[in-house]
Amino acid sequence: MRLLVLEDDQDLARQLRAALTDAGYAVDVAHDGEEGHFLGDTEPYDAVILDLGLPTMDGITILQQWRRDGRDMPVLILTARDRWSDKVSGIDAGADDYLAKPFHVEEMLARIRALLRRAAGHASNEIQCGPLRLDIAASKVTLAGQNVSLTALEFRLLSYLMHHQGKVISRTELVEHLYEQDFDKDSNTIEVFVGRLRRKTQASLIETVRGLGYRLVVPSDDGRDDG
Ligand code: CA
């Protein structure tokens, strides 16, 4: 999952980047309104954290333009505590949630997790795919109850596939959602990571769809499922 943080307060932006990186996300940061608007317009972010007061272009205008242009990624706006009218205009402009400053990093992370899983169609913080279980809040994956030890990038890749299980995901899409903007992107490395994930989990779970990409296979009901 790849996020954009658009915040002109450098200290706060740094804190947000650190917390989100620790939580396993790829994070791009912009401090300027126009630059951030451009990034959100051209890069496929999974979610955006958007401060409203920004130089060169304010947050509400940015959000309105994104929505008008069909950018539908979840957006969490940062507002001043006592400005209830900011919350209203932000939500009306297309924001999905808001946080009033100052806020606890844990609350920001919880709201981002919720936006990401909701956008992918999951209501719960635990995503299951056959024997695989992703605990979104703990950033942990288990296979048949056993902890699977993953590097940051392996986790990011598996988490993305699990959020979008059953769908064919191209290598280009994976590259765009796993790496930060200035990272030297090479879609061949995805193959290497998929290979490692197959060895660490179950090879048959990640299917290669020739010429198209990968799909996390949703196992058919084997009779154990009581749903
Ligand atoms: Ca600001």
Side-chain angles (χ1 to χ4, degrees):
M1 299 282 176
R2 182 176 167 207
L3 312 177
L4 172 65
V5 172
L6 187 39
E7 167 61 69
D8 61 326
D9 179 330
Q10 308 255 348
D11 285 340
L12 180 55
R14 224 182 339 261
Q15 281 174 39
L16 291 171
R17 183 206 284 272
L20 290 164
T21 305
D22 279 354
Y25 303 107
V27 185
D28 292 341
V29 174
H31 306 294
D32 173 81
E34 280 179 4
E35 183 200 354
H37 171 259
F38 176 77
L39 283 173
D41 213 27
T42 51
E43 300 286 328
Y45 293 107
D46 294 294
V48 176
I49 296 178
L50 175 65
D51 183 34
L52 293 186
L54 292 165
T56 70
M57 193 172 181
D58 71 274
I60 298 283
T61 308
I62 292 170
L63 186 51
Q64 283 170 337
Q65 290 205 7
W66 279 342
R67 295 312 193 213
R68 201 177 304 138
D69 295 334
R71 309 282 170 259
D72 62 357
M73 66 285 199
V75 173
L76 171 68
I77 52 169
L78 304 180
T79 68
R81 175 160 296 281
D82 48 350
R83 297 282 293 275
W84 66 266
S85 55
D86 279 359
K87 297 166 194 164
V88 173
S89 38
I91 289 166
D92 281 344
D96 299 276
D97 199 0
Y98 71 87
L99 258 179
K101 294 180 186 179
F103 51 82
H104 288 280
V105 157
E106 284 305 326
E107 183 179 357
M108 179 274 296
L109 290 171
R111 288 179 185 275
I112 285 293
R113 288 194 290 270
L115 288 178
L116 291 170
R117 64 169 152 77
R118 272 291 176 189
H122 302 282
S124 151
N125 244 350
E126 291 213 339
I127 299 180
Q128 179 118 25
C129 184
L132 273 182
R133 182 185 285 266
L134 168 66
D135 180 338
I136 299 174
S139 301
K140 236 180 68 179
V141 175
T142 54
L143 176 74
Q146 298 295 307
N147 193 42
V148 182
S149 164
L150 300 168
T151 66
L153 250 160
E154 289 165 2
F155 175 79
R156 219 179 271 167
L157 173 53
L158 187 55
S159 170
Y160 192 84
L161 290 173
M162 288 191 77
H163 273 79
H164 302 282
Q165 57 186 274
K167 295 182 191 128
V168 179
I169 315 279
S170 71
R171 277 196 285 177
T172 312
E173 180 177 343
L174 287 172
V175 166
E176 284 176 335
H177 289 268
L178 300 185
Y179 295 112
E180 284 150 21
Q181 194 199 5
D182 42 9
F183 195 88
D184 183 19
K185 295 167 186 145
D186 175 4
S187 67
N188 290 318
T189 59
I190 295 291
E191 242 174 78
V192 176
F193 284 112
V194 167
R196 288 190 202 157
L197 283 179
R198 282 179 173 142
R199 283 193 292 280
K200 288 187 176 185
T201 60
Q202 251 178 30
S204 61
L205 280 170
I206 307 176
E207 181 189 25
T208 301
V209 185
R210 195 182 282 275
L212 294 175
Y214 301 101
R215 174 166 50 203
L216 190 67
V217 178
V218 185
S220 56
D221 198 336
D222 59 5
R224 284 185 301 126
D225 190 353
D226 55 7

